[in-house]
Amino acid sequence: MSFAKLDAHCHSLSALEHALAILGVDEATVMAPGGGSDRAEAMAALSGMLHRQATDPKLEDWIAEAKEESLDTEQRIAVAEFERSHRNLTCLPAEFIERKMRTGMHSEQLWRKARQTGDWTAFRPALEGVVALMREEAQMRSEALGLKPYDALMEQFDPGNREADITPVFAKLKAFLVDFLPMALEAQERRRAARPVKPLSGNYSVERQKALGLAMMEAVGFDLNHGSLSISDHPFCGGVPSDVRMTTRYRTDEFLPALMGILHETGHGLYEQNLPKAWAHWPSGKARGMSLHESQSLFVEKQIGRNPAFWHHALPHVAEHLDEDWSIDDLLPHVHEIKRGKIRVDADEVTYPLHVILRYELEQDLLSGALEVRDLPEAWDAKMTASLGISTLDDPKNGPMQDVHWPAGAFGYFPSYTLGALMAAQQWAAISATNPAVNDEIAAGDFASVNAWRRDNIWQRGSMGTTPEILHEATGEPLNPAHFIAHLKARYGE
């Protein structure tokens, strides 16, 4: 049976994906700097091998034959998703895949070195090479998939989402945030004038912060038998569902940035650990896309991690691991602090979407040729000044060099962060409507019902539906930014 042949083939592909995932995490966390060149070559060779196997011409016959076999519903969905994945993979020749992997790896390695000093001049040629490749890829995918070039790239991260749908939502959200931000800052100042904020700064060793992070990961449901926590220049969640590799970065003078980063990545990890195991080797058993993935990370970080109910549970753990005794009134002003800043990963709920929309607009211009890499610092500065009132012109390290995404060739990824925030708020609204006691449960350290809802409605769905379908079936409505806007008004307004 051709379905059985596809099943065996998926197992083989999954093994190569496993190897690449672990090698990539190792390269970003513990590999010696001198190993970079050989690692890039090794991963390029493996990527080429994976691509050649995934695009084997015989697969088209197997797909066609499997579609004629007597299959159950999940098997039919699995074949359809395999076909969609195969169509996207066959857009690009193996030579290009290897070239892209090699270029991206070298670019990312140079980015890590150049970013330390903000050496834009040294880094610019590498980014120019990546942008040239991404323009090439966008055109190839566009012609093969019948999509606009930028949509063709977004399809790789978020199947079904389109620029025509996203741009109006982002425009509306941006207009709201630009007006809301100064009002929210004024409300924050009035609250602080009425009750001065107690400083939380101290001396918190990495070891104690990591112990606290692990305790919070386990509390919200992360399986430490199938996952771990390390350090990297840029926090991320990688590995494979049976071996989730999470990272964060620490500051020893404060603990909230690292803990919030851990909670964010834990959301990703929970999604990976709870995908349908029976279909783990098929595309239909993998995470649907990065918007849904980000909705899970932002759900844990924002809807749970910045929820006052969560801190009723977390404060005793903070006292135990950091030897500090704070009240919830001491802590919440810091957890809910709003401030204009240059760094996306350190941004609060109100300003974060503005960072993402800036990148969304710039990468569209880079791909279309309306903007060249040499002019990126000025363009970045103009948008940052307009939306957040901050200049980055003399600080490329904390401007266009701050993210790993573009150096690694991940164009079309950034929209998922803000789409994920919108989806997370919508999922929380659905959970709250069906379970009015959810905040009481979280305050008591009981995350069972929250995780059960997400397991049934998001995690176990894998890729057995489009992003819009999964969200609509889970919440009873299509993407609705009103939930996110209402959430911000309730938490950060008067």
Side-chain angles (χ1 to χ4, degrees), residues 63-214:
I63 292 168
E65 292 165 4
K67 289 164 70 175
E68 299 300 318
E69 294 173 355
S70 178
L71 305 177
D72 62 29
T73 299
E74 288 189 339
Q75 289 173 329
R76 286 196 301 273
I77 292 173
V79 172
E81 183 60 20
F82 185 92
E83 184 177 26
R84 190 200 68 80
S85 175
H86 181 262
R87 188 183 306 116
N88 277 274
L89 285 169
T90 53
C91 295
L92 308 175
E95 175 276 330
F96 180 86
I97 296 295
E98 292 185 23
R99 183 157 49 98
K100 180 184 176 184
M101 174 63 76
R102 188 177 296 111
T103 301
M105 289 283 292
H106 287 310
S107 171
E108 188 176 340
Q109 290 162 7
L110 179 59
W111 166 79
R112 290 199 192 102
K113 181 179 179 181
R115 185 179 183 271
Q116 294 177 11
T117 58
D119 192 343
W120 170 255
T121 301
F123 173 62
R124 194 185 91 184
L127 185 58
E128 287 174 336
V130 171
V131 169
L133 272 176
M134 295 314 301
R135 290 172 177 170
E136 187 179 349
E137 177 176 343
Q139 191 57 42
M140 283 191 286
R141 290 192 182 281
S142 174
E143 294 171 359
L145 302 177
L147 298 172
K148 294 180 179 179
Y150 189 73
D151 286 344
L153 292 184
M154 279 201 301
E155 179 74 6
Q156 311 315 302
F157 301 108
D158 233 343
N161 278 337
R162 299 290 179 258
E163 179 185 343
D165 300 319
I166 294 170
T167 297
V169 172
F170 279 7
K172 180 179 180 180
L173 182 61
K174 181 179 179 180
F176 163 76
L177 290 171
V178 169
D179 289 340
F180 180 70
L181 176 57
M183 293 188 291
L185 286 169
E186 289 176 9
Q188 176 175 266
E189 288 306 308
R190 285 192 290 272
R191 287 192 292 268
R192 292 185 170 193
R195 188 182 191 280
V197 178
K198 177 182 176 180
L200 296 184
S201 58
N203 183 14
Y204 311 116
S205 69
V206 169
E207 291 76 14
R208 289 196 293 166
Q209 290 191 63
K210 182 176 181 179
L212 173 63
L214 290 169

Side-chain angles (χ1 to χ4, degrees), residues 8-26:
H9 191 76
C10 284
H11 274 293
S12 178
L13 295 178
S14 183
L16 286 172
E17 290 168 350
H18 187 134
L20 277 165
I22 299 302
L23 282 171
V25 172
D26 178 87

Side-chain angles (χ1 to χ4, degrees), residues 78 103 105 162 278 290 310 328 341 354 413 417:
T103 301
M105 289 283 292
R162 299 290 179 258
M290 292 318 302
F310 171 78
I328 194 164
L354 293 171
Y413 187 117
Y417 289 116

Side-chain angles (χ1 to χ4, degrees), residues 53 58 66 69 109 151 177 207 258 304 439 458 471 473:
Q53 289 193 24
K58 68 175 178 287
E69 294 173 355
Q109 290 162 7
D151 286 344
L177 290 171
E207 291 76 14
I304 291 178
N439 280 322
I458 306 294
L471 181 69
E473 291 170 14

